[in-house]
Amino acid sequence: MEHFQLSEQATNGAAKVTVSGEIDLAAVLPLQELLFGTMNGPSSTTEVDLGNVSFMDASGLTALIRADAKARDVGGQLHLSHVPERVFRLLRIFDLDHRFTILT
């Protein structure tokens, strides 16, 4: 399995979470906990940078859906950025490409 890494930073009043490696079942809990944690802070917008994601399965999509739902519940927003083509295809297959705001 490729190494999985998460980092967080505040950028222009928003939280930015950068994800690297494979987002699979083993990565879901730490990813979801970090994303939920950003929604309890002063920021109402969380950007998830997926530019260095090499693989994502359905459990990764589930984590993003849950984080998006949590953001909406607290009046915030979840944005995806630098989405690799292979991840975008997965979003499209599950008809999720319109659910998320995808930054270019």
Side-chain angles (χ1 to χ4, degrees):
M1 176 173 112
E2 189 172 315
H3 191 66
F4 170 75
Q5 292 184 331
L6 291 171
S7 65
E8 176 189 3
Q9 65 183 10
T11 307
N12 299 326
K16 181 176 181 179
V17 173
T18 303
V19 186
S20 301
E22 297 182 356
I23 305 176
D24 57 13
L25 189 58
V28 167
L29 187 58
L31 174 60
Q32 192 168 287
E33 286 177 351
L34 180 59
L35 291 175
F36 279 25
T38 66
M39 294 167 200
N40 294 327
S43 173
S44 63
T45 301
T46 300
E47 175 186 344
V48 183
D49 183 339
L50 300 173
N52 292 315
V53 171
S54 58
F55 172 82
M56 181 185 294
D57 65 10
S59 61
L61 288 178
T62 300
L64 293 177
I65 290 167
R66 287 180 179 156
D68 182 59
K70 169 79 171 177
R72 292 172 192 231
D73 285 347
V74 299
Q77 300 176 346
L78 182 80
H79 301 294
L80 306 180
S81 67
H82 305 107
V83 180
E85 181 59 32
R86 64 192 156 276
V87 173
F88 186 75
R89 281 193 307 262
L90 191 60
L91 291 169
R92 202 171 41 231
I93 287 168
F94 287 98
D95 199 28
L96 295 170
D97 52 322
H98 300 289
R99 176 182 180 128
F100 296 102
T101 299
I102 299 176
L103 307 174
T104 55

